[in-house]
Amino acid sequence: MAFVFFAKAFGGAYMKSSITQIERRFDIPSSLIGVIDGSFEMGNLLVIAFVSYFGAKLHRPRLIGIGCLVMAAGCFLITLPHFLQGLYKYETSVTHSNDVNSTESILPCLSNQTVPDEDTPDLAAIADCEKAAGSSMWVYVFLGNMLRGIGETPIMPLGVSYLDDFSREENTPFYLACIHTVGILGPMFGYMMGSFLAKIYVDVGFVDLESVTINYKDSRWVGAWWLGFIVTGTIILLSSIPFWFLPKSLPKQGKEKSQSKRTEVAKAAEQDNFLPEEHQEKETPVTFQQLAKDFIPSLKRLFRNSIYTLMILTYLVAVNGFMGMITFKPKFLEQIYGQSASKAIFLIGILNLPAVALGIITGGFVLKRFKLGVVGAAKVSMGASIGSFCLLVVQVFLRCENAEVAGLTVTYQGIPDVSYNAQTLLSQCNNGCSCSMKQWDPVCAYNGITYASPCLAGCQTSTGTGREMVFHNCSCVGAIMSPGLNMSTVLGQCPRKSNCDRIFKIYMALSVVGSFISACGGTPGYIVLLRSIQKDLKALALGMQTLIVRTLGGIPPPIYFGALIDRTCLKWGTKQCGGRGACRLYDADAFRWTFMGLITGLYLLSNMMWGGLYHKIVQRQKKLALKEQAKDNGLEANGVNGHANINIAQNKDDTDKESTI
């Protein structure tokens, strides 16, 4: 179980780490990448209810093995577009010479004088171009990710119920914590591999890397995203092997010993102690038709459990915030704090995920060490949720200044002014250059300001080739700097101001501590869920939880988060065949308020619901305590009455004897 949790988490985390690379490779907006990311949960939705209900009665380990094979097939399908598509062509205003070593001077300011009318494109030419470029290849990624979702379905509900059915009650929290902790290593390795491959050019081995004029810090760079899916698919394939050799059922842990009966009775009593009284029938062999007939009544029994229903709703709201955060956090670190995609992915994998692993194992240890009941577990989980929320609120107010891009975040005179209007890219200093406003080929001037292209910087000449190209006599740079100073620009965006690094370190420290505190409540919350449902409904309950949370908490968030983030875009890229591509630059403040504000609002609602849930749990526990007390009082009353009757009888006998004497 630990190995398969590692493998599925490894594949899932790598998918998350590759979101930015896939978005750039297929030139699609964040809202569409959200749909692709949500296809995993769509696959879950198709089969989760049936797998959870019918799978509990079938051979659970083999179903998990079949699921792993389907997941591996999905990973391999995702890589297919790379081999069917042509080479990646990023947008650039620089014309490349066939001879890499050519010293031919490029004239940026004059190179766009013959730009065709951008407002009246040739639709037939665009259609032919899109067909050749394979612009719809993202569909393979969508379908492959959906297959991953279908294959992952049996692992959680069937695997956890299989483990809980055959282990001692007091060991279950620790086993779950260990499995989830080993599983957390999967995301760590997934993000680290994503970070490593993000630095390797997508067409490595097929192009001369010296001719590539961008580096991994550029917003147009695409890493070797496809290579990681081959690795993850192979590991998932290997993880399926042991499940083919596990039996349908195992001996109860400790059953072979003489005290097994006492252990089983104790577990049953402890499990039922928190549940409403309900007649439990002994298991008898049933047919498939009977299982299908009992499905709806079982669902009704399950959702009449108010604690289970409220817990599902609480998880649903929290997962909405988490899914939006984890999907777009690398983009957030890249756009707000000026980190490269590779470094953002690496930091999440090396800092946040170990904190989560430590939090999960800590939560399990606290439950086992202090032998907490349902109410105690609920206290720990709610406390962790409130603590992490407080740290999240602080993160909302941490900010860096916008990247200084002439015509977008500052004027050509260097005055801060955010503009969503493309016309502001034009200025008196570049009016005579006939520049395209759609191109994004940023250059950095020595005044610290980035220009959208060499042409828009008003550069007259250039020297060098490839990444070493330098543009000279840039009139827009001279508009700010004093005459006689360096009026040259180099390829790439300018780095952020130095104080942004300090703010970024504070943000990451708060993020790591918040991840640890939040994870401490994971295992206790799961135990509350397990102990709130009848034994015969356990697999169905876990399956329905996965179905609802994944459907409403996994599919919509990446889509609506992506759509709202798209609204903060200042500069859109241009596809190879024309039309709007992926976003190249965001308004940092608007992005921060949209992204962090939405997450904070969802977590606030989740904490309010946790308060209601805790109240329900305490109320149920009090009712059960009163019932137990009433039973005990009844037994005592019966005992007193019995003694009284005996005493009366004895007194009567004594009286009769005295009368006779």
Side-chain angles (χ1 to χ4, degrees), residues 53 290-304 537 540:
Y53 185 69
Q290 286 173 314
L291 288 175
K293 188 178 178 182
D294 291 340
F295 182 65
I296 300 299
S298 295
L299 276 181
K300 287 181 179 177
R301 278 176 60 209
L302 183 62
F303 285 103
R304 282 195 191 114
L537 295 176
L540 178 63

Side-chain angles (χ1 to χ4, degrees), residues 276-496:
E277 289 184 5
E278 187 175 319
H279 178 64
Q280 299 281 340
E281 296 181 359
K282 290 184 178 179
E283 282 191 26
T284 53
V286 289
T287 62
F288 186 82
Q289 287 79 8
Q290 286 173 314
L291 288 175
K293 188 178 178 182
D294 291 340
F295 182 65
I296 300 299
S298 295
L299 276 181
K300 287 181 179 177
R301 278 176 60 209
L302 183 62
F303 285 103
R304 282 195 191 114
N305 186 335
S306 59
I307 289 182
Y308 174 79
T309 305
L310 191 54
M311 195 152 200
I312 293 298
L313 293 174
T314 305
Y315 274 148
L316 181 59
V317 175
V319 167
N320 264 260
F322 175 77
M323 289 299 292
M325 178 172 65
I326 200 68
T327 302
F328 295 106
K329 189 167 184 176
K331 185 192 285 285
F332 177 77
L333 298 182
E334 188 180 352
Q335 292 291 333
I336 306 302
Y337 296 104
Q339 306 299 315
S340 68
S342 173
K343 186 177 178 182
I345 295 165
F346 178 78
L347 289 173
I348 293 170
I350 207 71
L351 295 177
N352 287 86
L353 295 179
V356 171
L358 187 60
I360 290 173
I361 198 73
T362 302
F365 174 77
V366 167
L367 283 183
K368 187 174 174 64
R369 173 68 180 81
F370 297 102
K371 297 179 181 177
L372 297 176
V374 176
V375 175
K379 281 181 181 177
V380 173
S381 192
M382 186 173 68
S385 180
I386 293 171
S388 61
F389 172 75
C390 292
L391 291 177
L392 188 65
V393 172
V394 178
Q395 294 172 38
V396 176
F397 298 98
L398 294 176
R399 64 184 292 269
C400 281
E401 297 292 336
N402 268 312
E404 294 185 336
V405 181
L408 295 174
T409 61
V410 295
T411 64
Y412 276 86
Q413 288 73 41
I415 302 167
D417 180 32
V418 175
S419 172
Y420 287 82
N421 185 0
Q423 293 296 327
T424 56
L425 287 168
L426 297 178
S427 178
Q428 288 184 351
C429 61
N430 57 30
N431 259 347
C433 295
S434 303
C435 302
S436 168
M437 292 181 290
K438 290 188 175 182
Q439 286 178 334
W440 178 255
D441 191 15
V443 290
C444 176
Y446 289 92
N447 58 12
I449 293 179
T450 301
Y451 297 87
S453 70
C455 180
L456 288 168
C459 301
Q460 305 295 324
T461 59
S462 69
T463 56
T465 58
R467 295 177 194 173
E468 306 303 320
M469 193 175 292
V470 179
F471 300 91
H472 305 285
N473 300 325
C474 304
S475 56
C476 292
V477 178
I480 300 176
M481 300 176 68
S482 302
L485 293 178
N486 196 329
M487 293 169 59
S488 301
T489 60
V490 294
L491 287 172
Q493 278 185 253
C494 296
R496 293 294 180 93

Side-chain angles (χ1 to χ4, degrees), residues 61-194:
R62 284 185 188 168
L63 282 176
I64 293 171
I66 292 169
C68 290
L69 294 180
V70 175
M71 282 179 73
C75 289
F76 296 137
L77 181 62
I78 290 173
T79 65
L80 211 55
H82 175 74
F83 300 100
L84 299 178
Q85 223 171 353
L87 298 177
Y88 174 56
K89 294 180 181 177
Y90 52 89
E91 57 176 317
T92 178
S93 61
V94 177
T95 53
H96 302 287
S97 172
N98 292 329
D99 182 8
V100 174
N101 296 318
S102 172
T103 57
E104 179 186 353
S105 178
I106 296 170
L107 306 177
C109 188
L110 304 176
S111 62
N112 287 306
Q113 283 187 351
T114 56
V115 173
D117 188 355
E118 294 172 343
D119 295 325
T120 56
D122 186 343
L123 297 179
I126 289 175
D128 293 338
C129 176
E130 286 182 349
K131 189 175 179 181
S135 61
S136 299
M137 287 289 181
W138 59 265
V139 174
Y140 286 96
V141 182
F142 177 89
L143 294 174
N145 205 32
M146 183 179 282
L147 272 183
R148 285 183 58 249
I150 292 171
E152 196 258 3
T153 305
I155 296 172
M156 178 65 82
L158 301 188
V160 171
S161 62
Y162 187 84
L163 173 75
D164 192 48
D165 285 348
F166 305 118
S167 66
R168 280 198 184 97
E169 178 76 9
E170 65 271 16
N171 289 341
T172 302
F174 186 69
Y175 290 153
L176 284 174
C178 288
I179 287 173
H180 283 291
T181 302
V182 174
I184 273 292
L185 295 175
M188 283 175 60
F189 282 93
Y191 273 96
M192 288 171 71
M193 185 172 73

